[in-house]
Amino acid sequence: RMEAFLASLSLVALAEMGDKTQLLAILLAARLRKPVPIIAGIFAATLANHFLAALVGQQVAGLLDSPAFRFAIAGGFIVMGLWALIPDKFDENDEPKRRGAGVFLTTLIAFFLVEMGDKTQIATVAMGAHYQNVVAVTAGTTLGMMVANVPAVLLGHKIERILPIRALQIGAALMFAGLGIWIGAQTAGWV
């Protein structure tokens, strides 16, 4: 349980640095200027999104518990490592429209939708499949998102000057690739 939690937390916290959802957190903080409901909206959206992602991963792994599926998970982590090296861009089409909704609801909806298909959501599916522990994976990935996004909300664009985003992206890529290699080696019986 603890391994699933800590691996999920560290992978997502690093992968989120410079990610589209972190850019959204900075944009929301700059536009709406209400950090508490923004942080609460990010937490609620992430909790819901990542719970569903971890559940999907666990269910799929339960149905496909074979060496081929475990190799596919390993390959998925390696691909996630490569994807982590590609910086995300945030364009005007991704910007949330605030049509009378409160700050919390605006953040909740925008964050949930932008996270769909994002590398951290896909990583959560893979972690759920690998660890078979929805609660530990959801708790870890949600906390990882908060570790990355709360400072982004509170510090805004200053975060890029404080944290070496490119170094964190490389660290995330190495962690994803390392986990993929480890799972592949375990499945092959080398470890």
Side-chain angles (χ1 to χ4, degrees):
R1 232 182 243 226
M2 188 56 87
E3 179 186 350
F5 172 77
L6 293 174
S8 298
L9 184 152
S10 53
L11 278 175
V12 169
L14 282 174
E16 182 65 7
M17 294 299 174
D19 191 68
K20 185 186 280 192
T21 46
Q22 188 180 52
L23 299 174
L24 175 61
I26 292 168
L27 177 73
L28 289 167
R31 298 265 169 145
L32 304 176
R33 301 184 189 274
K34 295 193 179 204
V36 173
I38 292 170
I39 291 168
I42 290 170
F43 177 76
T46 301
L47 187 62
N49 192 297
H50 286 206
F51 171 77
L52 294 172
L55 186 62
V56 165
Q58 180 191 40
Q59 295 304 309
V60 169
L63 295 173
L64 302 171
D65 191 23
S66 69
F69 183 67
R70 287 191 294 276
F71 279 124
I73 291 171
F77 276 116
I78 293 169
V79 169
M80 291 298 301
L82 296 172
W83 190 7
L85 294 172
I86 302 169
D88 278 343
K89 302 280 189 266
F90 196 85
D91 61 32
E92 312 79 56
N93 297 332
D94 294 324
E95 188 173 329
K97 309 295 185 251
R98 187 174 176 215
R99 295 186 179 110
V103 173
F104 171 80
L105 190 58
T106 298
T107 302
L108 174 81
I109 292 168
F111 219 85
F112 187 88
L113 293 175
V114 170
E115 184 64 10
M116 296 298 286
D118 196 52
K119 66 182 150 234
T120 50
Q121 184 194 41
I122 294 168
T124 303
V125 171
M127 298 296 270
H130 177 65
Y131 287 110
Q132 296 283 301
N133 189 323
V134 173
V135 173
V137 169
T138 301
T141 59
T142 300
L143 184 58
M145 291 287 281
M146 299 313 290
V147 164
N149 286 304
V150 169
V153 170
L154 298 176
L155 299 173
H157 290 288
K158 296 176 193 168
I159 191 107
E160 294 171 5
R161 286 178 277 171
I162 296 169
L163 294 174
I165 300 296
R166 188 65 184 154
L168 293 170
Q169 288 171 330
I170 292 169
L174 291 173
M175 285 183 71
F176 277 122
L179 186 57
I181 291 167
W182 177 256
I183 293 169
Q186 278 183 321
T187 303
W190 299 338
V191 189

